Amino acid sequence: MRILITGICGFVGNTLASGFRQGWPDWEIVGLDNLVRAGSEMNRRALRERNIKLYHGDVRNPSDLEALPRCDWIIEAAANPSVLAGVDGKTSSRQLVEHNLAGTINMLELQKNWRCGFTLLSTSRVYSIRALAAIPMETQGDRFCPSPNPAMPGVSAQGITEEFSAEPPLSLYGACKRASELLACEYAGSFNLPVSVLRCGVLAGAGQFGKIDQGIFSYWIHCYRARRPLKYIGFDGTGHQVRDCLHARDLLPLIARQIEQPSAHAPSVINVSGGLGQSASLRQLSAWCADRFGAHPVGADAKNRPFDVPWLVLDSTRAAQAWVWKPQIPLETIWAEIAAHAEQNPGWLDATAD
Ligand SMILES: NC(=O)c1ccc[n+]([C@@H]2O[C@H](COP(=O)([O-])OP(=O)(O)OC[C@H]3O[C@@H](n4cnc5c(N)ncnc54)[C@H](O)[C@@H]3O)[C@@H](O)[C@H]2O)c1
């Protein structure tokens, strides 16, 4: 079995490549990365030492893909993963669309030519910002939670299901992912090839290149330890906004199962997320950080930003039913792993800053 991982030097790509090398030693792993993400070059040497063949190339350039050996499965993890991408003045909207949508189309063409399987790392950001903002919320302790029985399609007691609205506004990032999802499913249907779209909530773990608009749990823990300024932004500056959190290693058994035993009957699109049991507000994360590192003041800015949502927790029941999958690594273990990494790598934020 030969697997191609795009974005292999990024947080998810590197975690998957290293995990497959360890747990599935018979698989050959090949990776592609253009090293555009600050810090990604740091993973190169370790990947090579694990006998993983790396290609320095760009998913936007079909000619960069010509050198790749034919693979049995493609895992598409190359992207600009920020919800602010294309509108933050750091990357243009065209650049984002080229990386996150045109790049995926090139990889789908490769899938068609190779007649192989395809996994798309998608996101909870395919769900409608307006609909998410319309879920009635109440405050319980230090966090928001939906009012009982909100009676909205796609909201279960466990969180947002795959039936939730995916109508714009989604952010340019979310829209590129949604378009990539649709095309991935269409290519699979048109050419009779296996596909898996994984809608991930926040992924986290040691070695993540966190920033305020992406990898929030890692970013927060690193900043708290380093005594850098932190602020609760939006929602009256309360820090009550909630996300769920999944260790990227928890993707390994699911993706491996899908590669080893692809099922034509399993749903192509599934939520894969930490869920309610692994969710927390920023204020709860700060309390955990204060216990670990000692107190550090957190400021507040009450003004909401366009892409902020109060509560985004995914219901992964479909993944559990179809693939007997559930998260294994508890929230506090993930946070402790990030904290230990932050203590061992005090220069991490500077080394991975844009
Ligand atoms: N980290 C999360 O919380 C999260 C949540 C949901 C979905 N995802 C998705 O998972 C995937 C991986 O995210 P991540 O957290 O590892 O991000 P990351 O920024 O750490 O890694 C992305 C990698 O892709 C590379 N890359 C970017 N554009 C490229 C291009 N045009 N050609 C080749 N390589 C390119 C970067 O250099 C980087 O190494 C992304 O598609 C992201 O949208 C991530």
Side-chain angles (χ1 to χ4, degrees):
M1 181 72 74
R2 188 189 284 143
I3 312 287
L4 169 66
I5 302 178
T6 66
I8 193 165
C9 296
F11 169 59
V12 175
N14 177 53
T15 306
L16 294 178
S18 309
F20 286 141
R21 172 56 56 250
Q22 235 186 349
W24 289 260
D26 295 343
W27 290 8
E28 184 183 342
I29 309 293
V30 172
L32 180 87
D33 205 298
N34 68 355
L35 304 177
V36 70
R37 179 80 195 251
S40 58
E41 70 285 349
M42 290 192 291
N43 287 324
R44 266 218 284 195
R45 185 193 290 180
L47 285 166
R48 286 214 171 102
E49 284 169 0
R50 291 190 180 104
N51 202 19
I52 291 168
K53 176 92 175 129
L54 298 186
Y55 291 81
H56 184 200
D58 198 307
V59 293
R60 293 171 297 176
N61 296 336
S63 60
D64 285 0
L65 310 180
E66 284 171 8
L68 296 169
R70 185 201 168 274
C71 294
D72 302 296
W73 202 281
I74 296 169
I75 299 174
E76 166 71 321
N80 182 333
S82 165
V83 72
L84 298 180
V87 293
D88 58 1
K90 293 183 189 158
T91 47
S92 72
S93 49
R94 180 183 292 277
Q95 236 175 358
L96 168 71
V97 173
E98 286 175 356
H99 279 291
N100 288 16
L101 179 55
T104 307
I105 294 170
N106 288 334
M107 298 316 297
L108 290 170
E109 282 291 316
L110 202 58
Q111 176 201 22
K112 185 185 80 176
N113 295 338
W114 286 351
R115 298 215 51 78
C116 68
F118 195 92
T119 298
L120 175 70
L121 267 298
S122 189
T123 169
S124 54
R125 287 299 189 161
V126 298
Y127 295 120
S128 169
I129 292 173
R130 192 173 296 134
L132 286 168
I135 302 173
M137 287 290 146
E138 46 191 57
T139 303
Q140 279 188 9
D142 279 341
R143 58 185 284 160
F144 290 134
C145 69
S147 307
N149 310 317
M152 282 175 77
V155 185
S156 78
Q158 299 306 313
I160 304 300
T161 72
E162 292 83 353
E163 280 77 36
F164 194 78
S165 168
E167 283 299 309
L170 309 174
S171 73
L172 284 176
Y173 167 71
C176 285
K177 287 289 187 184
R178 181 73 190 116
S180 294
E181 288 187 347
L182 291 171
L183 284 169
C185 293
E186 284 300 331
Y187 268 69
S190 302
F191 305 112
N192 194 23
L193 296 166
V195 68
S196 165
V197 171
L198 307 180
R199 290 183 176 165
C200 303
V202 179
L203 297 167
Q208 185 171 23
F209 318 126
K211 46 186 182 171
I212 191 74
D213 46 312
Q214 193 263 333
I216 184 65
F217 291 114
S218 293
Y219 178 79
W220 201 266
I221 293 170
H222 275 275
C223 287
Y224 205 104
R225 189 214 62 83
R227 301 291 190 251
R228 298 226 179 161
L230 281 170
K231 258 196 300 199
Y232 301 127
I233 302 176
F235 310 106
D236 297 327
T238 56
H240 287 162
Q241 56 267 51
V242 170
R243 293 286 180 282
D244 61 3
C245 181
L246 180 75
H247 199 295
R249 273 203 305 276
D250 268 339
L251 295 172
L252 285 163
L254 173 65
I255 297 177
R257 210 165 295 150
Q258 294 179 326
I259 292 174
E260 284 169 331
Q261 297 161 7
S263 159
H265 307 297
S268 306
V269 179
I270 52 175
N271 288 341
V272 179
S273 202
L276 210 48
Q278 299 204 173
S279 65
S281 68
L282 278 181
R283 187 168 281 275
Q284 289 175 311
L285 176 57
S286 295
W288 185 90
C289 288
D291 275 353
R292 170 88 187 209
F293 305 120
H296 169 57
V298 177
D301 179 349
K303 204 161 151 248
N304 281 359
R305 297 174 304 179
F307 303 119
D308 289 342
V309 290
W311 187 88
L312 188 40
V313 173
L314 299 189
D315 178 343
S316 301
T317 302
R318 204 187 260 188
Q321 286 169 347
W323 297 101
V324 199
W325 175 88
K326 62 175 185 179
Q328 299 295 328
I329 305 174
L331 182 63
E332 297 215 347
T333 307
I334 303 174
W335 288 355
E337 184 189 288
I338 297 168
H341 180 263
E343 285 157 351
Q344 287 153 17
N345 298 275
W348 189 253
L349 284 170
D350 290 328
T352 60
D354 287 332

